[in-house]
Amino acid sequence: MRDKINIRQEGNSDINSIRYVTEAAFKNAEHSSHTEHWIVDALRRNNQLSISLVAELDGNIVGHVAISPVSMSAGADDWYGLGPISILPEHQGKGIGSELVREALSELKVRHAQGCVVLGDPNYYGRFGFKVHEGLFYPGVPPEYFQALSFQGRIPIGEVSYHDSFHATE
Ligand SMILES: CC(C)(COP(=O)(O)OP(=O)(O)OC[C@H]1O[C@@H](n2cnc3c(N)ncnc32)[C@H](O)[C@@H]1OP(=O)(O)O)[C@@H](O)C(=O)NCCC(=O)NCCS
């Protein structure tokens, strides 16, 4: 049994810890550009960090999730992308990532978002309701790795793009 995790919005004094957690989480990750910590910084700098939640354990930040707006070629508004999501390696597999995802999705619903997409392992994200939807795609990745969850029942078709911050290299 682990201690209770506190999930809360990021504050100004959390920025260095978030960078550290993100870099450490992805260091040995199978699918990683190793730029995820820069992506989070760039999203914040460009006012694209719609939701940024930290998971705190005993006052230390051990996890983080970012949510940012995505563009749909079909023109649908109010769609978001989940990620990067990061849990410090020594705290992975204890349910902290799941708590962060659930909290971020419920915050999106409160904001009346249309839905959320995610690029990642289908075995992991399927448990939150994400599914592959034929016709909604992200170029360059196997289709099963790109999933969407609609809060309003409609899934747009076409191509999804993330903000340019996802190309950040420093
Ligand atoms: C992926 C990640 C956010 C999951 O958070 P977590 O707190 O470790 O996961 P949870 O404890 O909530 O969930 C555990 C489940 O996720 C699975 N899981 C853990 N890491 C996973 C990963 N990288 N890919 C797929 N599944 C993963 C576990 O096998 C476990 O499955 P089970 O419940 O069927 O046994 C975290 O492991 C992480 O930071 N990994 C490195 C960075 C990364 O890969 N981020 C996601 C990129 S899409």
Side-chain angles (χ1 to χ4, degrees):
M1 182 77 180
R2 63 167 162 78
D3 292 338
K4 191 162 169 8
I5 290 288
N6 179 33
I7 309 274
R8 61 167 177 79
Q9 297 197 21
E10 75 162 42
N12 288 340
S13 58
D14 300 325
I15 291 173
N16 288 340
S17 303
I18 292 171
R19 194 179 299 124
Y20 173 79
V21 166
T22 309
E23 188 171 13
F26 280 94
K27 194 160 189 196
N28 296 313
E30 201 181 337
H31 302 285
S32 171
S33 56
H34 304 293
T35 58
E36 290 82 1
H37 51 302
W38 291 321
I39 293 172
V40 175
D41 281 348
L43 287 169
R44 188 183 295 106
R45 202 164 55 236
N46 293 319
N47 288 321
Q48 298 292 309
L49 205 45
S50 313
I51 295 177
S52 177
L53 299 178
V54 296
E56 227 175 18
L57 183 64
D58 297 331
N60 298 313
I61 292 178
V62 297
H64 175 257
V65 63
I67 294 222
S68 59
V70 292
S71 306
M72 297 280 181
S73 63
D77 291 326
D78 295 324
W79 276 82
Y80 293 85
L82 184 129
I85 173 164
S86 313
I87 307 295
L88 278 181
E90 59 270 35
H91 293 285
Q92 290 176 10
K94 300 179 189 169
I96 303 173
S98 299
E99 276 192 54
L100 276 174
V101 173
R102 293 206 167 92
E103 193 60 37
L105 293 176
S106 78
E107 178 63 30
L108 276 180
K109 283 188 221 165
V110 167
R111 296 185 191 190
H112 304 292
Q114 292 293 315
C116 187
V117 297
V118 71
L119 183 57
D121 189 325
N123 294 327
Y124 186 59
Y125 294 104
R127 69 190 70 193
F128 309 108
F130 286 96
K131 289 190 190 119
V132 173
H133 292 273
E134 206 179 324
L136 182 70
F137 68 97
Y138 181 73
V141 298
E144 65 272 23
Y145 281 88
F146 189 68
Q147 301 179 286
L149 170 62
S150 170
F151 302 133
Q152 317 288 349
R154 284 180 303 278
I155 301 275
I157 54 164
E159 185 176 328
V160 180
S161 12
Y162 287 82
H163 191 259
D164 278 350
S165 302
F166 279 81
H167 300 301
T169 52
E170 58 181 6

